């Protein structure tokens, strides 16, 4: 995530961005595995709406998603606590989950698993969640939220696979050994949002990001057709789905990750919750074989997701503007 100064730009509040109703899949655990097995015309419509949104915007909103949003209120209560209370769950190298404070935003991060053991070379790390004492409800609402987001994310990957003419489980098969981290952000108000060092222009590196936000707004995306910046209006109860770089590579550029940024509010704090869905770290990412042929050659070389992610996190933590890995590094010349 780049830390660059945002230049003053004209912002369009036009909002042709789709809001997709997920009623036809909320009660399902999984989708039918192929388009041929689908008999519900609402589901066929939903799949084509998602496909269109992925091609045109790389972003869409969903309603009737079945994910409980009580966490938003508990997160607000947590961020309102005195600093020393929040610092009791401060994250550090040994405890990468928990609270951190930056000049322009506060973060609280947790994982859907209470404890994850990961291996890097011969080193074994255990990542455990840290939960604050107050508000007491946060732990439960956060875990409920994370479980809901995982269910939703899996179904969205199934919908995306079906929209590409693949079997529903084609993309979820990469997620068997993955674990989801959820990041709560509270952005401080900024009287001059044009100048703030904020989450600058970036794309998300995973597959899809599920984003919940309060009613303040501030998320902006760059429209693909004319590179114009569009401010996304928050819809109460909706979640925003951002397509990440991996879906762009898997689909060999049929779908695109969305270029986005956050503009802080001049007067009010803003709350958002980002959950980045990525595959297991050992997965190598490349255009899917079914989607390439002689007329449509692979546009990217294969890369390892874990290594890519590690290089981005290192860069993010060091706050340096050294060259970051970017999927354009894997683009095959001329394709
Ligand atoms: C992110 C991001 C947007 C937001 O975390 O990658 O783009 O609204 N967040 O917080
Ligand atoms: Ni992002």
């Amino acid at each position: 995530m780049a830390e660059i100064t945002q230049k003053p730009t004209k912002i369009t509040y036009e909002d042709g961005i789709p809001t997709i109703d997920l009623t036809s899949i909320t009660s399902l655990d999984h989708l039918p595995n192929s388009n041929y097995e689908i008999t519900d015309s609402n589901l066929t419509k939903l799949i084509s709406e998602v496909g269109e949104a992925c091609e045109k915007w790389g972003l869409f909103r969903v309603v009737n998603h079945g994910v409980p949003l009580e966490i938003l209120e508990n997160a607000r209560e947590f961020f309102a606590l005195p600093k020393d209370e929040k610092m009791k769950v401060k994250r550090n190298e040994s405890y990468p989950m928990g609270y951190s404070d930056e000049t322009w935003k506060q973060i609280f991060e947790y994982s859907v698993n209470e404890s994850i053991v990961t291996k890097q070379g011969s080193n074994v790390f255990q990542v455990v969640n840290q939960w604050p004492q107050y508000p007491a409800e946060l732990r439960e609402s956060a875990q409920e939220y994370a479980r809901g987001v995982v269910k939703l994310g899996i179904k969205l990957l199934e919908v995306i696979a079906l929209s590409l003419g693949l079997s529903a489980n084609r993309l979820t098969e990469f997620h068997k050994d993955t674990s989801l981290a959820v990041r709560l952000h509270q952005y401080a108000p900024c009287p001059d949002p044009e100048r703030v060092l904020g989450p600058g222009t970036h794309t998300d590196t995973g597959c899809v990001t599920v984003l919940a936000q309060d009613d303040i707004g501030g998320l902006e995306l760059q429209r693909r057709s004319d590179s114009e910046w569009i401010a996304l209006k928050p819809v109460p109860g909706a979640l925003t789905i951002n397509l990440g770089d991996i879906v762009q590579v898997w689909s060999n550029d049929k779908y695109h990750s969305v270029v986005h940024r956050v503009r802080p509010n001049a007067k009010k704090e803003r709350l958002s919750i980002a959950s980045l869905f990525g595959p297991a770290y050992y997965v190598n990412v490349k255009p899917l074989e079914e989607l390439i042929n002689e007329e449509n050659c692979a546009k990217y070389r294969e890369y390892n997701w874990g290594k890519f992610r590690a290089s981005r996190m290192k860069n993010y933590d060091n706050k340096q503007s050294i060259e970051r890995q970017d999927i354009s590094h894997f683009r095959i010349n001329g394709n």
Side-chain angles (χ1 to χ4, degrees), residues 19-30:
T19 299
I20 299 177
D21 185 343
L22 298 186
T23 303
S24 55
I25 61 167
T26 23
S27 57
L28 302 179
D29 281 333
H30 290 285

PDB file of all heavy atoms in Angstrom, residues 19-30:
ATOM      1  N   THR A  19     -24.875  -2.253  -7.237  1.00  0.00           N
ATOM      2  CA  THR A  19     -25.156  -2.827  -5.918  1.00  0.00           C
ATOM      3  C   THR A  19     -25.898  -4.127  -6.202  1.00  0.00           C
ATOM      4  O   THR A  19     -26.984  -4.114  -6.775  1.00  0.00           O
ATOM      5  CB  THR A  19     -26.033  -1.875  -5.092  1.00  0.00           C
ATOM      6  OG1 THR A  19     -25.304  -0.655  -4.913  1.00  0.00           O
ATOM      7  CG2 THR A  19     -26.351  -2.453  -3.723  1.00  0.00           C
ATOM      8  N   ILE A  20     -25.299  -5.238  -5.856  1.00  0.00           N
ATOM      9  CA  ILE A  20     -25.836  -6.540  -6.264  1.00  0.00           C
ATOM     10  C   ILE A  20     -26.507  -7.223  -5.070  1.00  0.00           C
ATOM     11  O   ILE A  20     -25.924  -7.315  -3.979  1.00  0.00           O
ATOM     12  CB  ILE A  20     -24.709  -7.408  -6.873  1.00  0.00           C
ATOM     13  CG1 ILE A  20     -24.157  -6.681  -8.126  1.00  0.00           C
ATOM     14  CG2 ILE A  20     -25.204  -8.806  -7.219  1.00  0.00           C
ATOM     15  CD1 ILE A  20     -22.983  -7.359  -8.802  1.00  0.00           C
ATOM     16  N   ASP A  21     -27.718  -7.667  -5.304  1.00  0.00           N
ATOM     17  CA  ASP A  21     -28.510  -8.310  -4.252  1.00  0.00           C
ATOM     18  C   ASP A  21     -28.159  -9.810  -4.204  1.00  0.00           C
ATOM     19  O   ASP A  21     -28.327 -10.521  -5.186  1.00  0.00           O
ATOM     20  CB  ASP A  21     -30.001  -8.113  -4.593  1.00  0.00           C
ATOM     21  CG  ASP A  21     -30.908  -8.630  -3.501  1.00  0.00           C
ATOM     22  OD1 ASP A  21     -30.441  -9.417  -2.645  1.00  0.00           O
ATOM     23  OD2 ASP A  21     -32.091  -8.252  -3.506  1.00  0.00           O
ATOM     24  N   LEU A  22     -27.677 -10.258  -3.052  1.00  0.00           N
ATOM     25  CA  LEU A  22     -27.213 -11.652  -2.950  1.00  0.00           C
ATOM     26  C   LEU A  22     -28.268 -12.607  -2.388  1.00  0.00           C
ATOM     27  O   LEU A  22     -27.940 -13.733  -2.006  1.00  0.00           O
ATOM     28  CB  LEU A  22     -25.946 -11.730  -2.085  1.00  0.00           C
ATOM     29  CG  LEU A  22     -24.716 -10.970  -2.592  1.00  0.00           C
ATOM     30  CD1 LEU A  22     -23.516 -11.279  -1.701  1.00  0.00           C
ATOM     31  CD2 LEU A  22     -24.382 -11.332  -4.035  1.00  0.00           C
ATOM     32  N   THR A  23     -29.530 -12.142  -2.323  1.00  0.00           N
ATOM     33  CA  THR A  23     -30.568 -12.977  -1.704  1.00  0.00           C
ATOM     34  C   THR A  23     -30.550 -14.410  -2.233  1.00  0.00           C
ATOM     35  O   THR A  23     -30.705 -15.354  -1.459  1.00  0.00           O
ATOM     36  CB  THR A  23     -31.961 -12.355  -1.954  1.00  0.00           C
ATOM     37  OG1 THR A  23     -31.936 -11.038  -1.441  1.00  0.00           O
ATOM     38  CG2 THR A  23     -33.058 -13.139  -1.255  1.00  0.00           C
ATOM     39  N   SER A  24     -30.335 -14.586  -3.548  1.00  0.00           N
ATOM     40  CA  SER A  24     -30.435 -15.948  -4.088  1.00  0.00           C
ATOM     41  C   SER A  24     -29.289 -16.860  -3.639  1.00  0.00           C
ATOM     42  O   SER A  24     -29.349 -18.069  -3.864  1.00  0.00           O
ATOM     43  CB  SER A  24     -30.571 -15.938  -5.612  1.00  0.00           C
ATOM     44  OG  SER A  24     -29.529 -15.218  -6.188  1.00  0.00           O
ATOM     45  N   ILE A  25     -28.244 -16.316  -2.992  1.00  0.00           N
ATOM     46  CA  ILE A  25     -27.182 -17.226  -2.507  1.00  0.00           C
ATOM     47  C   ILE A  25     -26.962 -17.151  -0.993  1.00  0.00           C
ATOM     48  O   ILE A  25     -26.161 -17.915  -0.451  1.00  0.00           O
ATOM     49  CB  ILE A  25     -25.826 -17.007  -3.235  1.00  0.00           C
ATOM     50  CG1 ILE A  25     -25.280 -15.580  -3.031  1.00  0.00           C
ATOM     51  CG2 ILE A  25     -25.945 -17.337  -4.713  1.00  0.00           C
ATOM     52  CD1 ILE A  25     -23.822 -15.444  -3.472  1.00  0.00           C
ATOM     53  N   THR A  26     -27.661 -16.257  -0.285  1.00  0.00           N
ATOM     54  CA  THR A  26     -27.361 -16.112   1.159  1.00  0.00           C
ATOM     55  C   THR A  26     -27.570 -17.414   1.923  1.00  0.00           C
ATOM     56  O   THR A  26     -26.810 -17.721   2.829  1.00  0.00           O
ATOM     57  CB  THR A  26     -28.179 -14.987   1.856  1.00  0.00           C
ATOM     58  OG1 THR A  26     -29.348 -14.734   1.108  1.00  0.00           O
ATOM     59  CG2 THR A  26     -27.394 -13.738   2.047  1.00  0.00           C
ATOM     60  N   SER A  27     -28.587 -18.188   1.557  1.00  0.00           N
ATOM     61  CA  SER A  27     -28.822 -19.389   2.367  1.00  0.00           C
ATOM     62  C   SER A  27     -28.045 -20.605   1.844  1.00  0.00           C
ATOM     63  O   SER A  27     -28.109 -21.673   2.439  1.00  0.00           O
ATOM     64  CB  SER A  27     -30.316 -19.690   2.414  1.00  0.00           C
ATOM     65  OG  SER A  27     -30.774 -19.841   1.099  1.00  0.00           O
ATOM     66  N   LEU A  28     -27.302 -20.452   0.767  1.00  0.00           N
ATOM     67  CA  LEU A  28     -26.518 -21.594   0.246  1.00  0.00           C
ATOM     68  C   LEU A  28     -25.149 -21.647   0.918  1.00  0.00           C
ATOM     69  O   LEU A  28     -24.579 -20.605   1.233  1.00  0.00           O
ATOM     70  CB  LEU A  28     -26.261 -21.429  -1.264  1.00  0.00           C
ATOM     71  CG  LEU A  28     -27.435 -21.304  -2.223  1.00  0.00           C
ATOM     72  CD1 LEU A  28     -26.912 -21.127  -3.650  1.00  0.00           C
ATOM     73  CD2 LEU A  28     -28.303 -22.546  -2.135  1.00  0.00           C
ATOM     74  N   ASP A  29     -24.604 -22.857   1.115  1.00  0.00           N
ATOM     75  CA  ASP A  29     -23.214 -22.959   1.572  1.00  0.00           C
ATOM     76  C   ASP A  29     -22.281 -22.869   0.382  1.00  0.00           C
ATOM     77  O   ASP A  29     -21.209 -22.288   0.442  1.00  0.00           O
ATOM     78  CB  ASP A  29     -22.984 -24.287   2.304  1.00  0.00           C
ATOM     79  CG  ASP A  29     -23.506 -24.214   3.726  1.00  0.00           C
ATOM     80  OD1 ASP A  29     -23.551 -23.091   4.270  1.00  0.00           O
ATOM     81  OD2 ASP A  29     -23.903 -25.257   4.265  1.00  0.00           O
ATOM     82  N   HIS A  30     -22.705 -23.489  -0.715  1.00  0.00           N
ATOM     83  CA  HIS A  30     -21.896 -23.471  -1.941  1.00  0.00           C
ATOM     84  C   HIS A  30     -22.807 -23.325  -3.137  1.00  0.00           C
ATOM     85  O   HIS A  30     -23.990 -23.672  -3.078  1.00  0.00           O
ATOM     86  CB  HIS A  30     -21.103 -24.771  -2.092  1.00  0.00           C
ATOM     87  CG  HIS A  30     -20.012 -24.884  -1.086  1.00  0.00           C
ATOM     88  ND1 HIS A  30     -18.846 -24.170  -1.172  1.00  0.00           N
ATOM     89  CD2 HIS A  30     -19.931 -25.620   0.048  1.00  0.00           C
ATOM     90  CE1 HIS A  30     -18.087 -24.452  -0.133  1.00  0.00           C
ATOM     91  NE2 HIS A  30     -18.726 -25.327   0.628  1.00  0.00           N
TER      92      HIS A  30
END
